[in-house]
Amino acid sequence: MILLATGVVLLGVFALCFRRERRRFSNAVLLLLGILCVGAALIGSGAEGAGPEMLVFFALALSPLLVLVLAGLLMLNGVVMLRREGVRPANLLSFGLGAALLVPYALLVMAVIAEWMVLGVLLLAVVLVAAYLGFVLVAFLLYSVVYGWVTRTDDAVAIVVHGSGLLGDRVPPLLASRLDRAVQIWRADRAHGPAPLLVTSGGKGSDEKVAESTAMAAYLIEHGVRDDEIVREDRSTTTRENLLFSRELLARQGIDSRILLVTSNFHVLRTALLARSVGIDAQAVGAPTARYYLPSAVLREYVGILVEHKVINAVICGLLVAAPVALAIFGEAN
């Protein structure tokens, strides 16, 4: 009952925080903690019979195998990414995570063979840190879906489309998907009220013939948007600059709220969090992405979340590493 009550309280706090400000990562933590507590309580309440006990047993027994399968799938996706997108650090993320998931198994084998307690302590530290990072990843994935479900698109005054790179002067599929999503929303809003202002946001990269915003605007015009309904932001090179420079342009138009940010579905939550951090009253929506591209893209966003909260993450990981070391030292002393 205590666990169930704790879960209900956590979900209640999540609901209040979500209603007040949905662009907080703490909401993701509250939501997942609440679900885990309620789920554990419900499983525990039904664990008197053989059925639930066997279910829990098989879940625990199969989890190491499932992690191995996940590692293999991530490494396979990494190979696909390298073949289709080229050899770049960002494209190695899924392969690297898959390889990292094999580290605890390697440590376990070494600990058993060598019978060396230090390896056992190291294994426990790795497992604890991996469990924490896994929790944050699941919280990020879960809340990304929840946030995407509830974001409204029918009351925007302005729609900002974030750039993602060009092929020379052409709009590639990833960026075209964002622009198509923006046009879809723009047409729907225009059908029942004033058409939102469209902002194409993206500067010119070293390998691009024109600024992203220019190519994006041309794409929008080809799909039925008038030139005077588009504002071009052609200085930005990062998501943060997309937000800051677009805010300047919209402020000149007298717009400072009811702004909708259109990006790829994997980038929605971090874009919303960044918008809040720079003080922009805006929500984000996502456009579809090729399935093979999603694992690496999601991992990049996840790493971005960890880096943006690097102090608290470093402290927690440090404590998780220190705990088994302290226990081992205390055990030897006694």
Side-chain angles (χ1 to χ4, degrees), residues 59-237:
L60 293 175
L62 288 174
S63 58
L65 178 60
L66 293 176
V67 172
L68 283 174
V69 172
L70 176 61
L73 291 174
L74 285 170
M75 294 173 75
L76 179 61
N77 176 257
V79 173
V80 174
M81 281 294 296
L82 292 174
R83 287 179 176 176
R84 296 194 180 186
E85 302 292 330
V87 180
R88 291 184 297 172
N91 295 337
L92 291 169
L93 279 174
S94 56
F95 188 91
L97 178 60
L101 289 175
L102 300 178
V103 171
Y105 298 91
L107 288 174
L108 177 61
V109 171
M110 292 170 63
V112 171
I113 294 175
E115 297 183 354
W116 190 20
M117 189 183 71
V118 173
L119 285 175
V121 172
L122 181 59
L123 172 63
L124 180 56
V126 169
V127 169
L128 289 175
V129 172
Y132 168 72
L133 295 177
F135 173 86
V136 175
L137 176 59
V138 173
F140 168 69
L141 294 173
L142 174 63
Y143 193 59
S144 293
V145 174
V146 171
Y147 177 87
W149 277 346
V150 302
T151 301
R152 294 180 58 184
T153 62
D154 59 352
D155 64 343
V157 175
I159 300 173
V160 179
V161 191
H162 288 211
S164 62
L166 302 176
L167 294 175
D169 59 354
R170 294 186 297 109
V171 171
L174 183 68
L175 184 52
S177 179
R178 298 184 183 187
L179 292 165
D180 291 340
R181 178 72 168 128
V183 170
Q184 179 189 32
I185 297 169
W186 178 80
R187 286 174 178 164
D189 287 358
R190 185 182 60 172
H192 61 74
L197 183 67
L198 281 161
V199 179
T200 56
S201 181
K204 182 178 180 298
S206 58
D207 59 344
E208 296 170 339
K209 296 180 180 179
V210 297
E212 290 179 33
S213 61
T214 301
M216 292 161 69
Y219 185 96
L220 292 175
I221 292 170
E222 290 175 2
H223 287 74
V225 182
R226 297 198 315 268
D227 185 73
D228 61 350
E229 295 174 304
I230 304 171
V231 173
R232 297 161 177 80
E233 183 286 295
D234 58 3
R235 294 185 292 159
S236 59
T237 58

Side-chain angles (χ1 to χ4, degrees), residues 286-297:
T289 308
R291 291 182 181 179
Y292 80 88
Y293 193 82
L294 274 175
S296 289

